[in-house]
Amino acid sequence: MTDPNIPPPVEPTPRTEVHHTTINNPPARSGGGSWIGLLVGGLVVVVLIIAFVVFTNGGGMGGAKDTNVDIDVDLPRPTMPDAPKMPDLPDVPSVEPPSVPTPSPEPQA
């Protein structure tokens, strides 16, 4: 029989290697095209404003029904003052234009 106070024989335990690997997977980025939605929404608002202005009774296609317009545009013709007269030229004596001297012949020796 065996003695109960003796520890059991130690069997070699298999060695396991533990590797710690950290993988960072950031969450998917969404909303990258939100500026396009803002741009399209702004354009829709502008088109709606233009359509409202064009198609209401204030102007455009459904404008005023009475087109009988009589306007008196007969205005008096404006008159301009006379331009100043040119002064008379003073008496200036006639002057002959200067003459260019001609070269003299070379002296002969």
Side-chain angles (χ1 to χ4, degrees):
M1 229 186 324
T2 49
D3 185 13
N5 294 329
I6 298 178
V10 178
E11 294 180 10
T13 58
R15 185 172 180 167
T16 60
E17 294 184 19
V18 177
H19 297 283
H20 295 282
T21 304
T22 304
I23 299 174
N24 292 325
N25 286 332
R29 292 177 58 178
S30 63
S34 63
W35 64 273
I36 294 175
L38 186 64
L39 179 69
V40 170
L43 289 174
V44 167
V45 168
V46 168
V47 167
L48 288 175
I49 290 172
I50 291 172
F52 177 77
V53 169
V54 168
F55 293 114
T56 56
N57 287 335
M61 301 279 239
K65 303 291 184 208
D66 185 17
T67 57
N68 185 9
V69 179
D70 292 327
I71 299 174
D72 184 18
V73 289
D74 188 19
L75 299 174
R77 176 171 248 176
T79 57
M80 299 292 291
D82 292 336
K85 302 290 184 210
M86 293 292 292
D88 294 333
L89 293 176
D91 291 333
V92 180
S94 64
V95 178
E96 292 291 325
S99 62
V100 179
T102 58
S104 61
E106 293 184 15
Q108 295 185 4

